[in-house]
Amino acid sequence: MISRRSTWSALLLGASLAILCLASSASARPQTTSPGGYVTVRVIVTDKGVTMSATHARRGSTAIFLVSNRAKTPRVLAVGDASLTHLRGTGFAVKLAKNQQKRILLYLTYRGSLPVSTADTGKPKVQGTFRVT
């Protein structure tokens, strides 16, 4: 005959093992909401267009845009939506003189495509996209 004390001890031991197994499997999951880290994106603006070293990054990371203007005239580079009036106000616009370089940090909170466009004196021309996954 099994005593009441040994039954409770076995039940307590089983519950403790179940909690430990669940806790170890939960800690082994990847942290998708906070990937962190930095992504370096080299952007070169020329007379023919824009070239980027990386065209996508993970949401939640910080992108370091190293922008340089190799065009013969000053250019304005816009990535995403630089205005704060829209709901998707993620991005920047920067004016670059001839042979000028700048560094821009952008925290990637928006998931989707951000248009990359350039302009000299006329209407902006979309050159490509930068994807945040």
Side-chain angles (χ1 to χ4, degrees), residues 46-117:
T46 61
D47 290 328
K48 295 182 180 182
V50 175
T51 57
M52 295 191 309
S53 64
T55 57
H56 59 85
R58 290 186 66 176
R59 180 176 171 233
S61 60
T62 301
I64 304 169
F65 287 89
L66 302 175
V67 183
S68 61
N69 184 13
R70 302 270 171 88
K72 296 176 184 173
T73 60
R75 298 289 171 114
V76 175
L77 175 75
V79 176
D81 185 12
S83 69
L84 297 177
T85 58
H86 298 91
L87 293 176
R88 201 177 79 189
T90 298
F92 64 89
V94 62
K95 185 175 183 178
L96 296 166
K98 181 181 171 184
N99 293 325
Q100 185 180 12
Q101 297 178 350
K102 287 191 177 181
R103 179 184 305 153
I104 295 105
L105 297 175
L106 180 65
Y107 184 67
L108 303 172
T109 58
Y110 173 77
R111 182 175 280 148
S113 295
L114 301 174
V116 178
S117 61

Side-chain angles (χ1 to χ4, degrees), residues 1-16:
M1 186 166 220
I2 300 174
S3 70
R4 186 176 271 185
R5 177 179 260 175
S6 64
T7 304
W8 281 107
S9 297
L11 184 62
L12 183 63
L13 179 65
S16 299

